[in-house]
Amino acid sequence: MNNININQIISYIWGIADDYLRDVLVRGKYRDVILPMTVIRRIDALLEPTKAEVERVHQFLNEKGMVNQDAALQKASGYVFYNTSKFTLRRLLDEPSQIRENFETYIAGFSPNVREIVQKFKFHNQLETLEEANVLFKLVERYTEPELKLENLTNLDMGYVFEELIRKFNEENNEEAGEHFTPRDVVALMTNLMFEPIADKIESSDYLIYDGACGTGGMLTESQNFLKELAAKREKKINLGLYGQEVQPETYAICKSDMMIKGNSPENIKYGSTLSNDHFADMKFDFMIMNPPYGKSWKVDKDALTDPVAKNIEDNRFQMGTPSSRDGQLLFMVNMLTKMKGSTTLGSRIATIHNGSALFTGGAGSGESNIRKWIIENDYLEAIIALPENMFYNTGIVTYIWILSNRKTPIRQGKVQLIDASKWFEKMRKNLGQKSNELKEEHIQKILDSYVKFEETEESKIFDKEEFGYYKITVERPLRLSVQIHDEQIKNMGRAFLENQKKYKKFVSHIVQLERLLKETFGLEKHMNYNSVMKDLDSALKEANIKLNKTEKKLLLDFFTKRDDSAEKVVKKKTKSNVEYEPDVDLRDTEKVPLNDDIDEYFEREVLPYIDDAWIDYDKTIIGYDILFTKYFYKYDELRETKDISYELMELEKQSEGLLHQFLEEVK
């Protein structure tokens, strides 16, 4: 179905809401009526042709005393759902005065799987309100008009209808639009990238497809359709199982209804959070496709996963690291990678879409970096494709498709391909929400060709996987302190001893003695060698019979020291063969050294020529990974010649003089 017809359906449904719910519900609550009514009408329309047969079979089975009638009624309806009441939505209009009672009877007549869907929408809560406002009858009437042909929509079309309705409802109520529904052109690209490269390896067999953030289920059913067509072309007979999990009750209900309509197993769609309540913990899948939520907090899941005593996450899926609680998108990728098949020739392939945060957020040692490290070092990452802006209905951000596999072809092993497809799109004639760009078949084919050919071009770059790793080294510089005794500091010291006797307990009884000792030992001149000062202090304290440990001596001198670039380095430890200096924490810095570079050579080349007293603290070295995508596709625009700019400025000046002259003449 084309965009124009879909937009007509959306406008029609939105018109129903605007006409009959305006004075009944606030705009943000329209969805509580419109979404379930749209699902019910779609199911109702599909069941209409076999309604008489279902009623006949139901009556026959009742007369025979049959309790379990599911299989027979499903066969009669032609779907995995049915309705045994005497009503359809159109028949409800025959008794206007009994509309609510009959509607409830109609809902109760559905098979258990449909009743669960309606329950997830909490639609029963709205019936009394609709009846009291005298709009329930009109609502049913408008939904049964011949203009609204929901039964003709594909799963993906229906998903878009729901996404656009949800977006409009929330936009009217100044709320966030929620999760990002994946447009059909993006889904088409993802399925092409996931299946086409291994088309010749598809055998007559059973395959399982999984989406852990399945939304309305469009990505699952489109994957199913694509793989079936691919297998049919090669005369292979395959059986597909679709599995999904969704945390939003509305979209879960929509997905489950579409699975029923398409003849798939609705029991394979589970409700709940994939992160904290994985319903497929013991399963492995051949293909996985996902558009997880990004930029969304996963704190609720994190709290549920965290052991209250040990204060850590024990879930085996996430032992390589966990990201900040502000954004859990990488955990969905990890979840898929832990569900890969390791015992089959084909292994598993994954297509997942993320924003830029997944590429580079988090420095070395962070959860995000450790996840990327785990993915890349295990050689799961095949390619990342940058998409154009404004590809989604409710966000204009740049997104990236990740292709992952545990069965890389020999030529791809140890390599990662980056494809910049950000300029391959066509402007849409009419925007759909924020979606103003779309991928046509030629764009999808161009991206697929670039991926399959695996060649270096202006838009395709191929790297060793180590390219994205780096050592984060800690560069230290020596602490340099000068010491000078002043009367003012002496007074400050004495005041501090008395005001904070707990901290300076050992000093209080020696205040006068210490003041005299410091003046006599060091005088008032400035000392540039802290190490010598400490030695002289040791001797003076010993002679005065005042016992202070190393920490207490430092505490005492802190009143009189200051950082001084001209002072000598402060020695931390000294042996026969080596001198270790105290690092200055304020001068501490870090450097990112590429994994394919030698740390010491890098340090001598890039650091020592500029800071000759620096050294590396090797104990603090950490390996990190990030993928700075735009860095590899940056194009330098050469500056224009000065003479060209000067010429243009002179021409503009001439033109402006003429305008000024004309203006002055008009004023006169």
Side-chain angles (χ1 to χ4, degrees):
M1 181 168 285
N2 59 45
N3 290 340
I4 296 175
N5 288 340
I6 292 176
N7 281 329
Q8 287 174 347
I9 287 173
I10 292 166
S11 296
Y12 183 91
I13 295 173
W14 181 254
I16 296 174
D18 227 18
D19 290 344
Y20 297 111
L21 301 180
R22 181 185 293 273
D23 299 322
V24 180
L25 300 169
V26 296
R27 284 183 176 269
K29 294 291 184 181
Y30 284 5
R31 62 193 291 162
D32 296 348
V33 172
I34 294 300
L35 296 181
M37 275 299 298
T38 303
V39 169
I40 290 169
R41 175 51 187 155
R42 191 177 185 212
I43 291 173
D44 178 78
L46 291 168
L47 291 177
E48 274 185 329
T50 58
K51 180 65 177 174
E53 178 64 10
V54 170
E55 288 180 356
R56 185 191 69 77
V57 171
H58 181 53
Q59 182 179 351
F60 174 78
L61 295 176
N62 282 344
E63 290 172 356
K64 296 293 183 181
M66 292 281 291
V67 177
N68 189 357
Q69 302 180 7
D70 262 11
L73 293 173
Q74 287 173 5
K75 184 178 180 181
S77 72
Y79 295 96
V80 294
F81 53 92
Y82 52 84
N83 188 302
T84 58
S85 75
K86 67 177 183 178
F87 298 107
T88 63
L89 283 181
R90 283 196 174 91
R91 291 182 191 174
L92 290 174
L93 301 175
D94 295 339
E95 300 180 59
S97 62
Q98 300 295 313
I99 185 69
R100 180 187 169 189
E101 291 82 354
N102 291 345
F103 200 107
E104 289 178 337
T105 301
Y106 169 67
I107 295 296
F110 275 115
S111 50
N113 45 20
V114 176
R115 292 202 303 273
E116 186 208 358
I117 290 168
V118 177
Q119 183 183 7
K120 279 290 184 286
F121 281 117
K122 297 181 172 58
F123 187 51
H124 285 285
N125 300 344
Q126 303 299 328
L127 289 178
E128 184 177 353
T129 302
L130 295 172
E131 185 191 34
E132 287 176 354
N134 200 29
V135 297
L136 182 56
F137 181 87
K138 284 292 184 182
L139 204 63
V140 174
E141 187 176 51
R142 284 291 297 275
Y143 263 99
T144 54
E145 292 288 347
E147 295 96 314
L148 192 62
K149 294 186 179 297
L150 298 179
E151 64 273 23
N152 295 335
L153 295 181
T154 67
N155 181 287
L156 201 61
D157 289 336
M158 200 67 211
Y160 169 66
V161 169
F162 282 114
E163 172 71 9
E164 186 64 7
L165 287 172
I166 290 169
R167 185 190 67 79
K168 287 170 73 71
F169 293 148
N170 288 335
E171 192 177 74
E172 289 289 327
N173 208 36
N174 296 318
E175 295 178 5
E176 291 297 323
E179 312 309 328
H180 307 305
F181 177 80
T182 316
R184 72 198 73 192
D185 52 341
V186 176
V187 176
L189 174 59
M190 293 174 76
T191 51
N192 269 275
L193 289 167
M194 188 160 65
F195 296 121
E196 281 289 359
I198 48 89
D200 59 337
K201 297 178 182 177
I202 297 296
E203 301 294 338
S204 297
S205 184
D206 298 336
Y207 295 101
L208 304 182
I209 305 174
Y210 168 76
D211 183 350
C214 63
T216 57
M219 295 178 87
L220 282 172
T221 53
E222 288 304 301
S223 296
Q224 178 187 41
N225 295 339
F226 192 99
L227 190 52
K228 278 186 173 180
E229 289 179 14
L230 205 63
K233 288 177 184 175
R234 289 158 177 78
E235 298 182 345
K236 304 291 184 181
K237 293 182 179 179
I238 61 172
N239 295 312
L240 297 179
L242 304 186
Y243 294 80
Q245 188 163 340
E246 174 57 31
V247 71
Q248 296 289 344
E250 290 173 345
T251 46
Y252 162 77
I254 294 165
C255 178
K256 194 154 188 173
S257 69
D258 272 325
M259 289 296 158
M260 291 190 303
I261 289 166
K262 297 297 180 185
N264 293 307
S265 302
E267 64 273 13
N268 291 343
I269 306 301
K270 302 297 183 181
Y271 175 68
S273 170
T274 290
L275 299 185
S276 59
N277 186 23
D278 182 13
H279 283 276
F280 305 104
D282 299 323
M283 292 190 67
K284 305 292 181 183
F285 300 93
D286 302 282
F287 303 101
M288 289 169 267
I289 187 167
M290 194 183 295
N291 176 17
Y294 28 87
K296 179 183 175 184
S297 170
W298 66 287
K299 190 173 187 316
V300 172
D301 292 306
K302 186 174 183 179
D303 291 344
L305 288 167
T306 301
D307 184 285
V309 179
K311 302 297 182 185
N312 61 354
I313 293 176
E314 296 182 349
D315 193 308
N316 290 330
R317 292 175 296 170
F318 309 131
Q319 292 309 298
M320 74 297 297
T322 56
S324 159
S325 61
R326 294 188 300 272
D327 188 354
Q329 62 178 299
L330 280 170
L331 293 180
F332 286 89
M333 191 187 301
V334 170
N335 170 67
M336 288 189 286
L337 288 165
T338 62
K339 297 184 185 302
M340 292 190 297
K341 288 186 173 181
S343 58
T344 62
T345 303
L346 187 62
S348 298
R349 285 182 65 77
I350 295 170
T352 178
I353 191 162
H354 297 266
N355 66 3
S357 175
L359 298 172
F360 52 76
T361 294
S366 69
E368 292 89 344
S369 178
N370 286 342
I371 289 172
R372 288 190 292 268
K373 178 175 182 284
W374 176 76
I375 291 170
I376 295 172
E377 288 187 350
N378 279 285
D379 207 16
Y380 294 141
L381 180 59
E382 286 197 354
I384 298 176
I385 299 96
L387 297 181
E389 296 178 339
N390 301 313
M391 288 297 297
F392 284 77
Y393 303 117
N394 57 0
T395 179
I397 62 174
V398 176
T399 50
Y400 301 82
I401 294 175
W402 295 51
I403 303 298
L404 306 107
S405 170
N406 60 348
R407 291 292 187 274
K408 280 188 174 183
T409 57
I411 195 174
R412 286 188 178 271
Q413 288 173 9
K415 304 288 184 181
V416 174
Q417 182 182 17
L418 303 183
I419 299 173
D420 181 13
S422 60
K423 301 295 188 291
W424 298 343
F425 65 90
E426 185 174 300
K427 278 285 181 187
M428 297 175 66
R429 189 159 53 93
K430 182 179 180 182
N431 288 9
L432 294 174
Q434 291 189 47
K435 182 175 174 61
S436 59
N437 299 326
E438 64 180 339
L439 302 175
K440 294 295 189 181
E441 285 186 17
E442 59 266 29
H443 301 126
I444 292 173
Q445 190 61 49
K446 192 174 183 179
I447 296 169
L448 180 62
D449 288 345
S450 181
Y451 170 84
V452 172
K453 288 177 181 176
F454 196 61
E455 296 173 351
E456 284 270 350
T457 66
E458 192 173 335
E459 292 86 10
S460 169
K461 308 293 182 185
I462 298 166
F463 303 95
D464 292 334
K465 60 185 177 67
E466 291 78 17
E467 166 70 21
F468 308 105
Y470 61 90
Y471 300 103
K472 178 186 175 184
I473 63 170
T474 299
V475 178
E476 300 284 15
R477 294 184 64 190
L479 179 65
R480 297 174 184 268
L481 296 175
S482 62
V483 182
Q484 189 169 18
I485 309 300
H486 284 296
D487 288 337
E488 189 61 34
Q489 278 110 326
I490 291 282
K491 290 178 183 177
N492 290 339
M493 180 187 74
R495 192 180 302 116
F497 287 172
L498 295 173
E499 289 176 354
N500 195 346
Q501 294 190 29
K502 186 176 181 181
K503 180 178 180 181
Y504 300 106
K505 182 179 180 180
K506 203 166 182 180
F507 301 101
V508 174
S509 59
H510 300 292
I511 292 179
V512 176
Q513 195 176 3
L514 286 170
E515 289 177 354
R516 185 173 62 250
L517 180 148
L518 290 168
K519 285 183 179 180
E520 290 176 354
T521 306
F522 302 110
L524 299 179
E525 67 268 23
K526 190 175 185 181
H527 299 268
M528 303 300 286
N529 192 328
Y530 183 88
N531 310 298
S532 297
V533 169
M534 186 62 79
K535 285 181 181 178
D536 293 341
L537 179 63
D538 285 341
S539 300
L541 289 171
K542 187 176 182 181
E543 187 176 333
N545 199 27
I546 299 174
K547 294 182 179 180
L548 299 179
N549 61 33
K550 188 176 180 179
T551 302
E552 290 164 343
K553 292 172 194 173
K554 180 181 179 302
L555 203 59
L556 179 63
L557 285 181
D558 280 349
F559 288 101
F560 310 100
T561 59
K562 62 182 291 188
R563 283 178 172 81
D564 192 326
D565 291 341
S566 302
E568 294 294 321
K569 306 170 188 175
V570 176
V571 175
K572 182 179 182 181
K573 188 191 299 183
K574 193 172 185 179
T575 64
K576 290 181 180 180
S577 59
N578 186 49
V579 178
E580 185 179 338
Y581 295 104
E582 195 73 48
D584 188 335
V585 294
D586 288 347
L587 297 178
R588 182 175 292 156
D589 202 357
T590 59
E591 290 277 335
K592 291 172 69 172
V593 182
L595 279 186
N596 51 20
D597 203 344
D598 181 88
I599 292 177
D600 293 322
E601 290 178 4
Y602 175 93
F603 186 70
E604 289 179 11
R605 184 178 70 247
E606 303 292 340
V607 179
L608 286 180
Y610 311 100
I611 312 171
D612 59 4
D613 61 356
W615 72 90
I616 301 171
D617 185 343
Y618 290 96
D619 291 338
K620 292 189 175 79
T621 300
I622 308 171
I623 292 178
Y625 277 80
D626 56 25
I627 303 168
L628 304 177
F629 199 97
T630 54
K631 161 185 156 184
Y632 300 106
F633 296 95
Y634 173 75
K635 293 178 182 176
Y636 173 72
D637 292 328
E638 290 190 16
L639 296 175
R640 297 170 61 197
E641 293 287 338
T642 306
K643 62 180 182 180
D644 294 335
I645 298 173
S646 299
Y647 175 78
E648 284 190 19
L649 289 172
M650 291 173 66
E651 287 297 311
L652 288 170
E653 188 177 5
K654 289 178 184 178
Q655 295 173 21
S656 63
E657 283 177 356
L659 290 171
L660 180 61
H661 178 74
Q662 182 181 347
F663 173 74
L664 291 173
E665 287 295 321
E666 290 177 358
V667 171
K668 289 179 181 179

